Every structure is written in C-alpha cells, then in structure tokens.
Amino acid sequence: MVWHEQVDTSVVSQRAKELNKRLTAPPAALLCHLDEALRPLFKDSAHPSKATFSCDRGEEGLILRVQSELSGLPFNWHFHCIPASSSLVSQHLIHPLMGVSLALQSHVRELAALLRMKDLEIQAYQESGAVLSRSRLKTEPFEENSFLEQFMAEKLPEACAVGDGKPFAMSLQSLYVAVTKQQIQARQAHKGSGETQASSSTSPRGTDNQPEEPVSLPSTLSEPEYEPVAASGPMHRAQLVKSKRKKPRGLFS
C-alpha cells in the first residue's frame, strides 16, 4: 500500500504552529527542512539522517512523526497520510518506472550499437596490420543475443536482488527525476494544446469576430411554410418552391 498526504501552505503553517510553539518560519523554509530531513533516507546509509522517525497506523490512516532541529530549536512534524488512489500511484510510480525502463532499454541499444562500431574499428586496425601488444586485452566480437542469454542465465538473479531498495534509489534516482520532469512537461504541453483547441472551437465564426446578436423568432410563421402538399406533380412542386422562396413575414425583423 502507498500512503500520501497533500496539503496547501495554510495547513503547513497551522500544523507547524500547533506542533512547535516556540518556532516561527515561513512554509517554504519548513518544507525545505523536511526535505533535508527525509532525503538521507533515500541515499547511502553512511550518511544517515539526523532526524528520528516513528509511525502509528490508526483507523483514519497513517501518522508519520518526525523529530529534528531547526535553527537550534526542536522541530516536530506529523504527516497525516491516507491510502493513495490507483490514479495517483500510476502517476507517481507506475508511469515513471515504465519511463525509466524504456530509457534503460534505449540506453542498452545505444551501448550495443557502440560496441558493434568498436568491433568494426578493431577489425579495420587488424586488416591494416595492427597487432595487439597485450594478449590479455583481446576480446571476442560482441554478439548481442549471446550476451543476453548469458546475462539471463548468470547475472539476472544478482541484478534482481532489490534488498531494501537503496541501490535503486542511489543509482537511478537522477534518471527517475529526469523521466518524471519529462512526463510533467508532456502533460502540460498536452493540456495547453487542448485548451487552445477548446478556445478556438468556441470562438465566434463571424468575419469580424463580433458576437452574433440574439434573434427573436416570431411565435407564428407565414402561411405558405406550413401549407400541406397533398399530391405530387409539377404544379404542386412549382407551388412548393415558390412558397419557400417567399420571405416569411416578421422573420429576423
């Protein structure tokens, strides 16, 4: 389960006053301090956070308590978390992780292409008479399929050892941030284009872009418009056409 909390600056200020009577700081400074306190949790354990954490799970949600110092004074903070919706988890976890996976796949393809180019370069040196002075550095030409088969058989178990998740956080954190920023920019661009199309579709269609004046239609129309035609024939069709060409009395007046 994923827990989250989303509040505005007024809630941040009010909660800070309730938990820290002697401390006064703007919301931006409080959030910056919380970021500094939480960030070491996602980095190397050699540099642990100076803050202490505890959590309690109740009927209404999860409360994460943070105890630290800010400007030499004790600073306490409580996160009142609730279960995240599936759409929120998809937006912040699933989609970014899928983007990270696609970026890594593209990275692997680029490296494979680079290795093939290096093999062609070495082959050109050998054909021109170059000889490797240190035989221990000699390598076989790169075969991508053979490499993938060997990786799946020998390296996959070690590569999938997630553990506490810190190796992922340390090595791929920058890539995750870059992918998240790219997805946010793409959503903003898509939203902007949608608003532009909506505004253009609702704009007036007049030649001078002036709003159309309201038109009051009369309660009754002229007699020929509602005159029934009981029979067909040239004479009746001529009368019908003639009646339609007559300008209705009072319409658009």
Side-chain angles (χ1 to χ4, degrees):
M1 182 178 292
V2 179
W3 301 88
H4 85 106
E5 182 184 23
Q6 183 175 358
V7 296
D8 55 19
T9 55
S10 61
V11 176
V12 173
S13 300
Q14 182 63 27
R15 189 176 301 174
K17 292 178 181 179
E18 295 175 355
L19 298 175
N20 306 275
K21 303 295 185 181
R22 301 170 54 193
L23 185 63
T24 302
L30 298 175
L31 295 176
C32 182
H33 175 71
L34 289 173
D35 179 74
E36 294 176 353
L38 295 172
R39 192 171 295 275
L41 297 177
F42 302 98
K43 293 185 178 181
D44 191 358
S45 58
H47 301 85
S49 175
K50 296 180 180 180
T52 58
F53 303 89
S54 62
C55 63
D56 295 322
R57 183 172 179 179
E59 297 180 356
E60 298 181 356
L62 180 73
I63 299 178
L64 175 62
R65 296 180 173 87
V66 183
Q67 294 180 347
S68 62
E69 289 187 1
L70 178 60
S71 300
L73 295 175
F75 177 76
N76 299 313
W77 186 261
H78 296 173
F79 290 97
H80 298 270
C81 303
I82 60 174
S85 63
S86 57
S87 60
L88 193 64
V89 174
S90 177
Q91 177 182 351
H92 291 280
L93 287 178
I94 298 178
H95 282 182
L97 291 178
M98 290 176 63
V100 168
S101 178
L102 293 175
L104 291 176
Q105 291 179 14
S106 178
H107 191 194
V108 169
R109 287 194 298 267
E110 293 290 337
L111 290 177
L114 182 60
L115 286 175
R116 286 190 290 268
M117 294 295 295
K118 289 294 184 181
D119 286 339
L120 293 176
E121 182 180 356
I122 293 174
Q123 182 181 355
Y125 289 149
Q126 292 174 346
E127 292 175 353
S128 63
V131 179
L132 186 63
S133 60
R134 288 174 288 183
S135 59
R136 62 183 179 84
L137 298 179
K138 184 178 180 180
T139 57
E140 296 296 329
F142 177 73
E143 293 290 342
E144 186 173 0
N145 293 332
S146 300
F147 171 78
L148 291 177
E149 292 176 359
Q150 182 180 2
F151 178 83
M152 297 290 287
E154 300 178 3
K155 302 294 184 180
L156 186 61
E158 181 182 355
C160 292
V162 178
D164 57 2
K166 288 184 177 180
F168 172 83
M170 290 186 294
S171 60
L172 296 179
Q173 192 177 64
S174 59
L175 180 59
Y176 175 87
V177 173
V179 169
T180 304
K181 289 182 178 179
Q182 181 66 30
Q183 292 180 348
I184 292 175
Q185 293 174 358
R187 285 196 299 267
Q188 292 176 346
H190 179 73
K191 182 179 179 181
S193 61
E195 292 177 351
T196 302
Q197 293 178 359
S199 61
S200 62
S201 62
T202 57
S203 61
R205 296 185 178 181
T207 56
D208 54 354
N209 293 331
Q210 294 295 330
E212 297 180 357
E213 296 181 359
V215 178
S216 300
L217 296 178
S219 59
T220 58
L221 297 178
S222 58
E223 191 83 15
E225 286 292 322
Y226 284 90
E227 183 176 357
V229 179
S232 62
M235 182 176 297
H236 289 282
R237 285 196 296 270
Q239 292 177 356
L240 180 59
V241 172
K242 184 177 181 181
S243 64
K244 286 185 177 180
R245 290 180 178 176
K246 294 178 61 179
K247 183 178 181 181
R249 295 190 300 271
L251 189 61
F252 299 107
S253 57

